[in-house]
């Protein structure tokens, strides 16, 4: 097995972290007001029920995206800590090196592909 280039993965993780933080900030900026303030209507009753439903759905979708982004951010931060600790790229289940190809695809991976498949079953 080849050694993992942690400097490369640190750069990849930091770039992805920057992108995720920007996405979270964008979602926050998009929803800095209440749903009714954003609709621009005088009262909730001024808006058609279908429009309100669409706006509510869009808001919930954005909240879900934000929650997922925050989860990814936590995983990126944990991967950066593993780089500092010297444990980056090691499967937490088997203790073996995670293939570089898997880390290229998912730099914050904690499991080799076999262990991940087993977990998903």
């Amino acid at each position: 097995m080849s050694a993992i280039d942690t400097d490369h993965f640190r750069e990849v993780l930091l770039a992805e972290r920057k992108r995720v933080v920007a996405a979270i900030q964008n979602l926050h900026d998009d929803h800095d007001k209440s749903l009714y303030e954003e609709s621009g209507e005088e009262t909730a009753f001024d808006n058609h029920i279908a429009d309100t439903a669409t706006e509510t759905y869009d808001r919930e979708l954005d909240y879900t995206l934000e929650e997922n982004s925050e989860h990814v951010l936590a995983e990126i931060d944990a991967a950066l800590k593993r780089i500092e600790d010297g444990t980056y790229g090691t499967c937490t289940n088997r203790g073996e090196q995670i293939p570089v190809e898997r880390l290229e695809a998912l730099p914050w991976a904690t499991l080799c592909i076999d262990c991940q498949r087993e977990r998903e079953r």
Side-chain angles (χ1 to χ4, degrees), residues 57-75:
Y57 173 79
D58 288 345
R59 173 76 61 105
E60 288 297 320
L61 181 62
D62 285 348
Y63 286 155
T64 300
L65 291 172
E66 181 179 351
E67 185 178 325
N68 289 341
S69 295
E70 288 172 352
H71 178 73
V72 169
L73 185 61
E75 293 204 22

